[in-house]
Amino acid sequence: MSNLKSSAIWAAGAVVLLCGMATSDWPIALALFVIVYGYKAYEFFYFRSAKFLAIKSRISAHIQDCNNLNDHIEELKSTQIGTDMSHRGHAERRDNSRWNYKRTEFRKDSNAANVYNCSRDIVAGAQRDPIKYLCKYFGFNADEPTLNQFETMLNNFTAAEDGKQALAGEKNEILGSIANEIPLPIKVLAKKQLARKLGFKDVTLNDMFYPSFKFQYVSSGGNASTNSVVTLDIPNLNAMVEYLSGRIQWRKSVAGQRALMTSALRKYILQRDNYTCRICGANLNAEPHLLLEVDHIIPVSKGGMTTESNLQTLCWRCNRSKGAKMQE
């Protein structure tokens, strides 16, 4: 693909040069051709030079660690929770409206799992009290398993947000350590290419991974519509955890013992453990860009509870390793 792209660039340059040669501006066209494609040739040979390959080899372990962190963040971002609307029964929808709901956006969303087609009143209610309506109409029950799922999502998404900052910091630190060895034209004109050639994976640092749920009203003719979208970002996940906890009928063995895995508790555990991994001892003093996570010592899936005594600080490497061993 890259060879094809390079060939296309050279072909386009040749066309521009030939067109320029046919006019009185041919000296300018020739100069531009020499500058642009002279640099491209320089870039091509630099990334294959012994000097660059030596730099790449020297920092390869750090880049691999950075890429592993990127993979870990992607795993955290993939945490999802399913909706359960099966208890609402089944019905056949017959559309007798004049326009037969031909609005593109409605047709696209009408059967989506995260879209609830409803009245205007429900859309308005979802704007006023989003968490309550989310639970009511998307089937999120006030029980311990559901709460555990949302707590896991909150913990993972918070770690993913922290991880994005750690990843950016670690990558910048690596690039900064070799900045004096990279020629200025490469640093200025080929920044992304430099990162790829060194071996960095492409990183996505946006927040589009947060799941969203839409309450949607469309008029019978399809000419009027309104919707309310609830995005489960960090603040809304905290609100969801607190909302569910307040409505759960706790077992006597759990009541009064269980804490909520909120952002506040996560921060407390990190501070309690002095921002140090309880397994390997890695800490923020030694690694300023280290991603630290809060882990259940006895996993929730094995009966572990969200209590201070069952929570520990782990670096992302140890937490990922622990998770991999449990899946074996």
Side-chain angles (χ1 to χ4, degrees):
M1 184 67 181
S2 59
N3 291 335
L4 182 61
K5 184 177 179 181
S6 298
S7 299
I9 292 174
W10 281 100
V15 171
V16 171
L17 178 60
L18 290 173
C19 291
M21 294 291 284
T23 68
S24 59
D25 295 328
W26 69 266
I28 298 176
L30 179 60
L32 288 175
F33 181 85
V34 170
I35 292 172
V36 173
Y37 291 96
Y39 166 74
K40 295 302 292 184
Y42 167 74
E43 181 184 294
F44 176 85
F45 287 109
Y46 174 75
F47 285 130
R48 288 161 178 77
S49 67
K51 182 177 180 180
F52 176 77
L53 294 177
I55 294 173
K56 180 178 179 180
S57 176
R58 191 176 75 240
I59 64 174
S60 61
H62 299 290
I63 291 177
Q64 185 58 53
D65 187 63
C66 205
N67 288 338
N68 289 340
L69 174 56
N70 184 39
D71 291 341
H72 182 60
I73 292 171
E74 291 302 313
E75 291 168 6
L76 294 172
K77 287 161 57 177
S78 67
T79 307
Q80 295 295 329
I81 186 168
T83 59
D84 181 13
M85 299 167 69
S86 58
H87 64 285
R88 302 192 179 280
H90 302 278
E92 178 185 356
R93 190 186 75 179
R94 295 180 179 178
D95 188 353
N96 298 315
S97 61
R98 179 180 177 185
W99 300 106
N100 201 29
Y101 288 101
K102 289 185 178 179
R103 290 169 63 94
T104 304
E105 62 270 26
F106 179 73
R107 187 167 63 249
K108 179 178 64 178
D109 290 342
S110 59
N111 295 313
N114 286 17
V115 175
Y116 185 75
N117 295 293
C118 55
S119 67
R120 279 179 175 170
D121 289 340
I122 293 178
V123 171
Q127 291 176 327
R128 292 192 306 269
D129 199 348
I131 303 303
K132 175 183 176 181
Y133 275 70
L134 199 60
C135 291
K136 181 177 180 180
Y137 291 100
F138 283 92
F140 296 130
N141 299 320
D143 53 33
E144 290 181 59
T146 303
L147 177 60
N148 288 336
Q149 286 182 300
F150 276 107
E151 286 182 312
T152 298
M153 180 180 285
L154 173 58
N155 193 30
N156 287 351
F157 283 0
T158 304
E161 288 293 346
D162 292 345
K164 290 192 298 184
Q165 297 180 27
L167 181 60
E170 186 174 347
K171 182 177 179 180
N172 289 336
E173 186 174 309
I174 293 172
L175 292 174
S177 69
I178 61 172
N180 293 333
E181 302 177 68
I182 304 297
L184 183 61
I186 298 294
K187 287 191 292 186
V188 174
L189 301 176
K191 187 178 293 185
K192 290 184 178 180
Q193 183 79 339
L194 172 62
R196 292 194 186 103
K197 291 295 184 180
L198 285 170
F200 285 106
K201 290 184 177 180
D202 289 333
V203 178
T204 302
L205 297 180
N206 61 44
D207 58 1
M208 296 299 290
F209 59 91
Y210 291 127
S212 61
F213 299 84
K214 180 190 289 186
F215 295 85
Q216 176 176 261
Y217 163 77
V218 179
S219 66
S220 58
N223 294 315
S225 67
T226 184
N227 64 70
S228 177
V229 177
V230 183
T231 299
L232 287 179
D233 54 13
I234 303 301
N236 271 342
L237 283 170
N238 274 300
M240 175 65 83
V241 167
E242 293 175 359
Y243 178 87
L244 290 175
S245 176
R247 283 155 180 76
I248 290 177
Q249 297 295 320
W250 294 104
R251 292 174 285 118
K252 290 183 179 180
S253 60
V254 175
Q257 300 179 37
R258 192 188 192 284
L260 294 180
M261 180 57 86
T262 60
S263 296
L265 177 60
R266 187 176 183 277
K267 182 177 180 180
Y268 168 77
I269 297 299
L270 293 173
Q271 291 176 336
R272 182 200 68 185
D273 293 342
N274 200 28
Y275 298 96
T276 301
C277 177
R278 297 285 291 273
I279 292 180
C280 72
N283 59 77
L284 291 182
N285 289 329
E287 297 183 59
H289 304 299
L290 178 67
L291 172 61
L292 294 172
E293 301 177 346
V294 174
D295 167 68
H296 285 82
I297 299 172
I298 301 175
V300 173
S301 60
K302 296 186 180 298
M305 294 172 58
T306 303
T307 58
E308 292 181 16
S309 60
N310 192 44
L311 295 175
Q312 64 179 346
T313 299
L314 295 183
C315 71
W316 69 270
R317 302 182 191 95
C318 290
N319 199 19
R320 195 181 192 203
S321 176
K322 177 185 175 183
K325 289 178 181 177
M326 291 183 60
Q327 293 176 6
E328 292 178 353

